Amino acid sequence: MRRLVLFILLSCLLLTGCSDDKFMLQLKLHTLDDVKQGMQQVSIQGAETEMLESYRLTSARDSAAYAFDNGELLYVYEFEAPTEAHEGMKKIEEQTALVDLVYSPVIYNANNVILIYMQKYGETTGKQPAVEKLASSLGWQVSTS
């Protein structure tokens, strides 16, 4: 079913002659390696670490957590399909609804990948612009939830 939907979308794109790179980027299914390469390109350096228990998702195909020197975190989740990523975002919201506010998460999503930048609550640092640049380079949007 997923392949059929993707085939129909790509067929429509070819028939209309659209060559918009941003639109094509939004159709791409990303991998954890794409994110790692993007992090290198925008000079985001973090040490791999464990995820907080309330942010762990068993439904993700792959996931990674990175800790920065300032104590902030970056969580990356890769799913099989965009619909699973959407369900993953809902699950994270449910799991973290009653969690103490130590971090102020900023959620980015693109198709089958979710990226959560865990900024310390009440603080702003210089890291978020780099994360936004990473998100933008991969065609991601900031989630409003």
Side-chain angles (χ1 to χ4, degrees):
M1 181 67 176
R2 292 182 201 139
R3 289 183 183 174
L4 177 62
V5 171
L6 186 58
F7 175 75
I8 291 170
L9 284 173
L10 290 176
S11 296
C12 291
L13 177 68
L14 292 174
L15 290 174
T16 60
C18 179
S19 63
D20 184 15
D21 290 339
K22 187 173 182 178
F23 178 73
M24 291 302 291
L25 191 56
Q26 291 173 347
L27 291 178
K28 182 180 184 213
L29 296 181
H30 301 289
T31 65
L32 199 55
D33 287 336
D34 292 338
V35 176
K36 289 178 183 178
Q37 289 174 359
M39 287 174 65
Q40 289 176 347
Q41 290 173 352
V42 297
S43 302
I44 297 175
Q45 297 177 351
E48 287 200 38
T49 189
E50 291 289 320
M51 280 189 187
L52 295 172
E53 182 67 33
S54 57
Y55 283 88
R56 291 186 184 152
L57 290 177
T58 57
S59 60
R61 177 195 301 172
D62 203 358
S63 61
Y66 301 94
F68 302 114
D69 292 338
N70 60 3
E72 295 180 345
L73 306 166
L74 179 66
Y75 293 162
V76 181
Y77 307 88
E78 175 189 347
F79 296 88
E80 294 283 335
T83 54
E84 291 178 18
H86 181 70
E87 292 300 316
M89 286 177 39
K90 286 182 180 179
K91 184 71 173 171
I92 287 172
E93 289 173 2
E94 290 171 12
Q95 290 177 185
T96 60
L98 300 175
V99 175
D100 290 336
L101 295 178
V102 175
Y103 293 100
S104 176
V106 179
I107 302 173
Y108 302 87
N109 64 303
N111 293 334
N112 65 317
V113 175
I114 299 172
L115 180 137
I116 302 176
Y117 177 64
M118 303 291 285
Q119 184 173 345
K120 286 188 175 183
Y121 188 74
E123 295 182 23
T124 33
T125 65
K127 279 283 187 219
Q128 191 171 348
V131 175
E132 287 179 2
K133 187 174 180 182
L134 167 66
S136 176
S137 73
L138 295 171
W140 294 359
Q141 302 294 320
V142 177
S143 175
T144 57
S145 55

